[in-house]
Amino acid sequence: QVQLAESGGGSVQAGGSLKLSCVISGVIYSIRCVGWFRQAPGKEPEGVAGFDGDWRPIYADSVNGRFTVSKESDHATVYLHMNNLEPDDTATYYCAADEFDGSRTWNSRCVLSDRGDFPTWGQGTQVFVSS
């Protein structure tokens, strides 16, 4: 089973940048979707960016232009590059993925607002942005 481990969180001033890492272990070729989610205190988780089943980047409108994703060539590590951070970006950030086991039809489309596309989550890394 795929496991996900996030790192790179921390405290930064508004306008600053952070780079989060997600190390994926297990059967990487079975990954269908990989995404970054965040959850602020008292709020529901929100998908911010990720990769679809063809490893094409996908982004939520709320962060488009400020956040980008990248990955290693072997897909074993994915990154979330966060620029021009705002206090509202303060949250715990999670890496999440869908492991395809062949029991359903492959679909490359991954929707950040559909938690069903990202059922496996890491432990999270905290990001705090001060004003």
Side-chain angles (χ1 to χ4, degrees), residues 7-30:
S7 62
S11 295
V12 63
Q13 289 188 328
S17 300
L18 278 175
K19 176 183 174 182
L20 305 183
S21 301
C22 172
V23 175
I24 305 171
S25 58
V27 185
I28 297 173
Y29 70 80
S30 69

Side-chain angles (χ1 to χ4, degrees), residues 48-122:
V48 296
F51 292 94
D52 68 11
D54 293 324
W55 290 97
R56 293 173 299 195
I58 52 176
Y59 296 102
D61 290 341
S62 60
V63 300
N64 205 2
R66 295 192 301 123
F67 292 7
T68 59
V69 290
S70 65
K71 59 180 178 63
E72 297 294 341
S73 58
D74 60 0
H75 303 168
T77 305
V78 298
Y79 303 99
L80 179 65
H81 306 264
M82 305 186 293
N83 298 310
N84 195 21
L85 283 161
E86 304 167 352
D88 284 346
D89 295 318
T90 295
T92 300
Y93 283 72
Y94 299 90
C95 181
D98 182 26
E99 187 175 7
F100 183 75
D101 62 4
S103 63
R104 50 198 161 100
T105 302
W106 175 270
N107 180 4
S108 293
R109 184 171 181 260
C110 301
V111 180
L112 289 169
S113 59
D114 185 351
R115 291 278 299 275
D117 279 343
F118 305 89
T120 301
W121 287 52

